[in-house]
Amino acid sequence: VEVRDPTGGLLTIGGSMPVEVLGVAEPAGTTAVGRAGLDLEVRASSFDVSAAVVFLDAELVDALEGQLDGSLSVSGTLEQPLMEGPVELSEGLIRIPELGIPYDQIHLAAVAEGTRVDIDAASIRAGSGTMTVSGAARLEELVRLDLAVAMEEFQAVRTEAYRAAVSGDLHVGGELDAPVVEGEVFVESMDVYLGELAATAPTGLEEIELTEEDLETLRRRFGYVPDADEEEAPFSSVVTADIAVE
């Protein structure tokens, strides 16, 4: 597969991977799709990632930019892929509507080795401040984190209701879906506009009932079907934090 973006950047993917055909049962004696072998070579040369924004929820991310370079060899299985090679993102930008500010001048340099991804250097600008990240992540059954985060007058949020710039050093450990955050954060500046805060406060949430087709899609794509009696916990309830704020 070869994809060339309008600016001339190139993404190529070659090799083989197992594919599940919906409605077709796996023949007896064959290896399950999730445990079948991967053999892929992925190459990127100044590839523009902005087109990927169409695959993201616009309420979570409404802008995405950056140039991707890298050379990855992917083996292992779908259940446990193994990756080897460097990846670099430059001139990146992401905008999260709820936080009201674009995070730009994103640069990421990482190297994958098996289930481990080492982040050699990562930096993000927001407002006049910066955030840098280094460390590693292990892509096992659960994604395990070991990251050092340093912020200097980083404009974390800038909406009509409030704005905040912070500095400090944090360590992020634990798992991706239940991170453990420790360190110190200094609030450099904070503005809260009470009138706007009251005007934009949600009055209620619309209930959504999943159909059987929706549940089957969740199971097929993510291997997870929510229990009908299970209440969704807010993300804050699974984050373990030990942070001194000044």
Side-chain angles (χ1 to χ4, degrees):
V1 177
E2 182 176 297
V3 180
R4 190 175 295 276
D5 66 45
T7 66
L10 181 65
L11 174 69
T12 60
I13 304 174
S16 61
M17 65 177 292
V19 176
E20 179 180 6
V21 180
L22 298 180
V24 178
E26 296 174 352
T30 60
T31 303
V33 169
R35 297 191 298 274
L38 290 170
D39 182 14
L40 296 174
E41 296 292 331
V42 182
R43 304 284 184 268
S45 177
S46 300
F47 185 72
D48 184 357
V49 302
S50 60
V53 74
V54 300
F55 300 104
L56 304 176
D57 186 337
E59 294 185 359
L60 299 178
V61 176
D62 66 357
L64 183 69
E65 298 176 9
Q67 303 293 318
L68 182 66
D69 291 274
S71 177
L72 278 181
S73 298
V74 185
S75 58
T77 66
L78 286 176
E79 292 181 350
Q80 184 56 81
L82 303 173
M83 298 182 290
E84 302 283 342
V87 174
E88 183 172 2
L89 178 70
S90 57
E91 300 178 17
L93 176 146
I94 186 170
R95 186 169 59 230
I96 301 172
E98 188 174 353
L99 299 180
I101 185 170
Y103 302 103
D104 61 5
Q105 291 190 14
I106 299 173
H107 176 259
L108 168 68
V111 178
E113 185 176 350
T115 61
R116 179 184 174 95
V117 178
D118 287 304
I119 300 174
D120 296 329
S123 59
I124 306 170
R125 187 185 70 171
S128 60
T130 58
M131 172 192 292
T132 60
V133 180
S134 61
R138 285 195 173 275
L139 311 181
E140 299 171 344
E141 183 177 354
L142 297 173
V143 179
R144 303 186 184 279
L145 306 173
D146 181 14
L147 303 174
V149 179
M151 297 173 290
E152 184 68 33
E153 298 185 351
F154 186 72
Q155 189 81 46
V157 59
R158 187 176 68 194
T159 68
E160 293 182 353
Y162 44 86
R163 302 179 181 185
V166 298
S167 299
D169 297 293
L170 299 173
H171 177 264
V172 182
E175 300 160 0
L176 184 61
D177 58 354
V180 177
V181 184
E182 301 173 295
E184 292 184 330
V185 171
F186 302 91
V187 179
E188 302 286 1
S189 64
M190 176 178 285
D191 298 308
V192 179
Y193 303 92
L194 297 179
E196 292 293 341
L197 190 61
T200 58
T203 57
L205 298 176
E206 180 182 357
E207 292 189 2
I208 299 176
E209 183 174 345
L210 298 177
T211 66
E212 289 298 324
E213 183 178 356
D214 294 330
L215 294 173
E216 175 59 23
T217 299
L218 286 174
R219 184 203 65 78
R220 187 171 64 248
R221 293 184 179 178
F222 305 106
Y224 170 72
V225 177
D227 190 302
D229 298 324
E230 178 183 357
E231 293 186 2
E232 181 180 357
F235 181 70
S236 60
S237 70
V238 298
V239 177
T240 302
D242 181 11
I243 304 172
V245 179
E246 297 186 13

PDB file of all heavy atoms in Angstrom, residues 83-100:
ATOM      1  N   MET A  83       7.433  -4.245  17.684  1.00  0.00           N
ATOM      2  CA  MET A  83       7.855  -3.225  16.730  1.00  0.00           C
ATOM      3  C   MET A  83       9.324  -2.895  16.903  1.00  0.00           C
ATOM      4  O   MET A  83       9.840  -2.895  18.019  1.00  0.00           O
ATOM      5  CB  MET A  83       7.015  -1.952  16.911  1.00  0.00           C
ATOM      6  CG  MET A  83       5.532  -2.156  16.655  1.00  0.00           C
ATOM      7  SD  MET A  83       4.574  -0.621  16.831  1.00  0.00           S
ATOM      8  CE  MET A  83       4.693  -0.380  18.612  1.00  0.00           C
ATOM      9  N   GLU A  84       9.969  -2.608  15.790  1.00  0.00           N
ATOM     10  CA  GLU A  84      11.383  -2.239  15.798  1.00  0.00           C
ATOM     11  C   GLU A  84      11.585  -1.055  14.859  1.00  0.00           C
ATOM     12  O   GLU A  84      11.160  -1.091  13.703  1.00  0.00           O
ATOM     13  CB  GLU A  84      12.264  -3.402  15.318  1.00  0.00           C
ATOM     14  CG  GLU A  84      12.136  -4.690  16.124  1.00  0.00           C
ATOM     15  CD  GLU A  84      12.878  -4.611  17.448  1.00  0.00           C
ATOM     16  OE1 GLU A  84      13.756  -3.729  17.586  1.00  0.00           O
ATOM     17  OE2 GLU A  84      12.587  -5.429  18.348  1.00  0.00           O
ATOM     18  N   GLY A  85      12.235   0.019  15.377  1.00  0.00           N
ATOM     19  CA  GLY A  85      12.585   1.118  14.497  1.00  0.00           C
ATOM     20  C   GLY A  85      12.245   2.479  15.067  1.00  0.00           C
ATOM     21  O   GLY A  85      11.549   2.601  16.080  1.00  0.00           O
ATOM     22  N   PRO A  86      12.757   3.526  14.414  1.00  0.00           N
ATOM     23  CA  PRO A  86      12.537   4.900  14.873  1.00  0.00           C
ATOM     24  C   PRO A  86      11.301   5.545  14.240  1.00  0.00           C
ATOM     25  O   PRO A  86      10.907   5.215  13.119  1.00  0.00           O
ATOM     26  CB  PRO A  86      13.810   5.611  14.404  1.00  0.00           C
ATOM     27  CG  PRO A  86      14.147   4.895  13.123  1.00  0.00           C
ATOM     28  CD  PRO A  86      13.727   3.461  13.310  1.00  0.00           C
ATOM     29  N   VAL A  87      10.712   6.481  14.986  1.00  0.00           N
ATOM     30  CA  VAL A  87       9.579   7.274  14.496  1.00  0.00           C
ATOM     31  C   VAL A  87       9.790   8.713  14.952  1.00  0.00           C
ATOM     32  O   VAL A  87      10.204   8.964  16.091  1.00  0.00           O
ATOM     33  CB  VAL A  87       8.238   6.755  15.047  1.00  0.00           C
ATOM     34  CG1 VAL A  87       7.099   7.684  14.630  1.00  0.00           C
ATOM     35  CG2 VAL A  87       7.959   5.346  14.574  1.00  0.00           C
ATOM     36  N   GLU A  88       9.512   9.666  14.059  1.00  0.00           N
ATOM     37  CA  GLU A  88       9.666  11.077  14.421  1.00  0.00           C
ATOM     38  C   GLU A  88       8.492  11.875  13.868  1.00  0.00           C
ATOM     39  O   GLU A  88       8.096  11.713  12.719  1.00  0.00           O
ATOM     40  CB  GLU A  88      10.974  11.646  13.881  1.00  0.00           C
ATOM     41  CG  GLU A  88      11.217  13.093  14.281  1.00  0.00           C
ATOM     42  CD  GLU A  88      12.600  13.584  13.904  1.00  0.00           C
ATOM     43  OE1 GLU A  88      13.363  12.806  13.301  1.00  0.00           O
ATOM     44  OE2 GLU A  88      12.917  14.751  14.213  1.00  0.00           O
ATOM     45  N   LEU A  89       7.916  12.713  14.738  1.00  0.00           N
ATOM     46  CA  LEU A  89       6.860  13.644  14.338  1.00  0.00           C
ATOM     47  C   LEU A  89       7.379  15.054  14.535  1.00  0.00           C
ATOM     48  O   LEU A  89       7.890  15.393  15.610  1.00  0.00           O
ATOM     49  CB  LEU A  89       5.595  13.427  15.180  1.00  0.00           C
ATOM     50  CG  LEU A  89       4.432  14.386  14.882  1.00  0.00           C
ATOM     51  CD1 LEU A  89       3.831  14.086  13.523  1.00  0.00           C
ATOM     52  CD2 LEU A  89       3.380  14.296  15.979  1.00  0.00           C
ATOM     53  N   SER A  90       7.247  15.894  13.517  1.00  0.00           N
ATOM     54  CA  SER A  90       7.715  17.276  13.604  1.00  0.00           C
ATOM     55  C   SER A  90       6.623  18.221  13.131  1.00  0.00           C
ATOM     56  O   SER A  90       5.679  17.820  12.442  1.00  0.00           O
ATOM     57  CB  SER A  90       8.983  17.467  12.760  1.00  0.00           C
ATOM     58  OG  SER A  90       8.746  17.112  11.410  1.00  0.00           O
ATOM     59  N   GLU A  91       6.748  19.486  13.540  1.00  0.00           N
ATOM     60  CA  GLU A  91       5.800  20.540  13.152  1.00  0.00           C
ATOM     61  C   GLU A  91       4.363  20.132  13.480  1.00  0.00           C
ATOM     62  O   GLU A  91       3.425  20.420  12.739  1.00  0.00           O
ATOM     63  CB  GLU A  91       5.932  20.864  11.662  1.00  0.00           C
ATOM     64  CG  GLU A  91       7.312  21.356  11.269  1.00  0.00           C
ATOM     65  CD  GLU A  91       7.434  21.616   9.785  1.00  0.00           C
ATOM     66  OE1 GLU A  91       6.386  21.721   9.115  1.00  0.00           O
ATOM     67  OE2 GLU A  91       8.563  21.735   9.305  1.00  0.00           O
ATOM     68  N   GLY A  92       4.206  19.467  14.628  1.00  0.00           N
ATOM     69  CA  GLY A  92       2.897  18.960  14.990  1.00  0.00           C
ATOM     70  C   GLY A  92       1.997  19.990  15.649  1.00  0.00           C
ATOM     71  O   GLY A  92       2.453  20.978  16.236  1.00  0.00           O
ATOM     72  N   LEU A  93       0.692  19.741  15.541  1.00  0.00           N
ATOM     73  CA  LEU A  93      -0.316  20.575  16.190  1.00  0.00           C
ATOM     74  C   LEU A  93      -1.533  19.712  16.479  1.00  0.00           C
ATOM     75  O   LEU A  93      -1.913  18.863  15.672  1.00  0.00           O
ATOM     76  CB  LEU A  93      -0.710  21.761  15.307  1.00  0.00           C
ATOM     77  CG  LEU A  93      -1.826  22.671  15.833  1.00  0.00           C
ATOM     78  CD1 LEU A  93      -1.585  24.128  15.424  1.00  0.00           C
ATOM     79  CD2 LEU A  93      -3.216  22.225  15.335  1.00  0.00           C
ATOM     80  N   ILE A  94      -2.122  19.929  17.653  1.00  0.00           N
ATOM     81  CA  ILE A  94      -3.383  19.277  17.986  1.00  0.00           C
ATOM     82  C   ILE A  94      -4.239  20.280  18.744  1.00  0.00           C
ATOM     83  O   ILE A  94      -3.733  21.038  19.570  1.00  0.00           O
ATOM     84  CB  ILE A  94      -3.153  17.988  18.816  1.00  0.00           C
ATOM     85  CG1 ILE A  94      -4.489  17.246  19.016  1.00  0.00           C
ATOM     86  CG2 ILE A  94      -2.488  18.295  20.145  1.00  0.00           C
ATOM     87  CD1 ILE A  94      -4.316  15.861  19.596  1.00  0.00           C
ATOM     88  N   ARG A  95      -5.527  20.307  18.426  1.00  0.00           N
ATOM     89  CA  ARG A  95      -6.437  21.210  19.130  1.00  0.00           C
ATOM     90  C   ARG A  95      -7.573  20.391  19.728  1.00  0.00           C
ATOM     91  O   ARG A  95      -8.250  19.631  19.036  1.00  0.00           O
ATOM     92  CB  ARG A  95      -6.990  22.285  18.205  1.00  0.00           C
ATOM     93  CG  ARG A  95      -7.826  23.335  18.948  1.00  0.00           C
ATOM     94  CD  ARG A  95      -8.151  24.544  18.099  1.00  0.00           C
ATOM     95  NE  ARG A  95      -8.886  24.183  16.905  1.00  0.00           N
ATOM     96  CZ  ARG A  95      -8.563  24.572  15.678  1.00  0.00           C
ATOM     97  NH1 ARG A  95      -7.476  25.292  15.476  1.00  0.00           N
ATOM     98  NH2 ARG A  95      -9.287  24.204  14.633  1.00  0.00           N
ATOM     99  N   ILE A  96      -7.749  20.570  21.054  1.00  0.00           N
ATOM    100  CA  ILE A  96      -8.811  19.881  21.791  1.00  0.00           C
ATOM    101  C   ILE A  96      -9.843  20.942  22.153  1.00  0.00           C
ATOM    102  O   ILE A  96      -9.572  21.820  22.983  1.00  0.00           O
ATOM    103  CB  ILE A  96      -8.243  19.214  23.057  1.00  0.00           C
ATOM    104  CG1 ILE A  96      -7.150  18.218  22.659  1.00  0.00           C
ATOM    105  CG2 ILE A  96      -9.346  18.517  23.844  1.00  0.00           C
ATOM    106  CD1 ILE A  96      -6.389  17.633  23.831  1.00  0.00           C
ATOM    107  N   PRO A  97     -11.023  20.913  21.537  1.00  0.00           N
ATOM    108  CA  PRO A  97     -11.993  21.997  21.721  1.00  0.00           C
ATOM    109  C   PRO A  97     -12.309  22.295  23.180  1.00  0.00           C
ATOM    110  O   PRO A  97     -12.440  23.460  23.568  1.00  0.00           O
ATOM    111  CB  PRO A  97     -13.233  21.477  20.976  1.00  0.00           C
ATOM    112  CG  PRO A  97     -12.692  20.533  19.962  1.00  0.00           C
ATOM    113  CD  PRO A  97     -11.508  19.887  20.598  1.00  0.00           C
ATOM    114  N   GLU A  98     -12.425  21.270  24.003  1.00  0.00           N
ATOM    115  CA  GLU A  98     -12.806  21.475  25.395  1.00  0.00           C
ATOM    116  C   GLU A  98     -11.775  22.298  26.166  1.00  0.00           C
ATOM    117  O   GLU A  98     -12.120  22.994  27.123  1.00  0.00           O
ATOM    118  CB  GLU A  98     -13.007  20.121  26.080  1.00  0.00           C
ATOM    119  CG  GLU A  98     -13.584  20.230  27.476  1.00  0.00           C
ATOM    120  CD  GLU A  98     -13.911  18.884  28.069  1.00  0.00           C
ATOM    121  OE1 GLU A  98     -13.811  17.866  27.351  1.00  0.00           O
ATOM    122  OE2 GLU A  98     -14.268  18.839  29.261  1.00  0.00           O
ATOM    123  N   LEU A  99     -10.492  22.231  25.747  1.00  0.00           N
ATOM    124  CA  LEU A  99      -9.442  22.975  26.440  1.00  0.00           C
ATOM    125  C   LEU A  99      -9.183  24.340  25.819  1.00  0.00           C
ATOM    126  O   LEU A  99      -8.503  25.175  26.408  1.00  0.00           O
ATOM    127  CB  LEU A  99      -8.150  22.158  26.470  1.00  0.00           C
ATOM    128  CG  LEU A  99      -8.259  20.821  27.204  1.00  0.00           C
ATOM    129  CD1 LEU A  99      -6.925  20.100  27.177  1.00  0.00           C
ATOM    130  CD2 LEU A  99      -8.724  21.024  28.640  1.00  0.00           C
ATOM    131  N   GLY A 100      -9.687  24.550  24.602  1.00  0.00           N
ATOM    132  CA  GLY A 100      -9.720  25.882  24.032  1.00  0.00           C
ATOM    133  C   GLY A 100      -8.416  26.439  23.510  1.00  0.00           C
ATOM    134  O   GLY A 100      -8.348  27.627  23.200  1.00  0.00           O
TER     135      GLY A 100
END
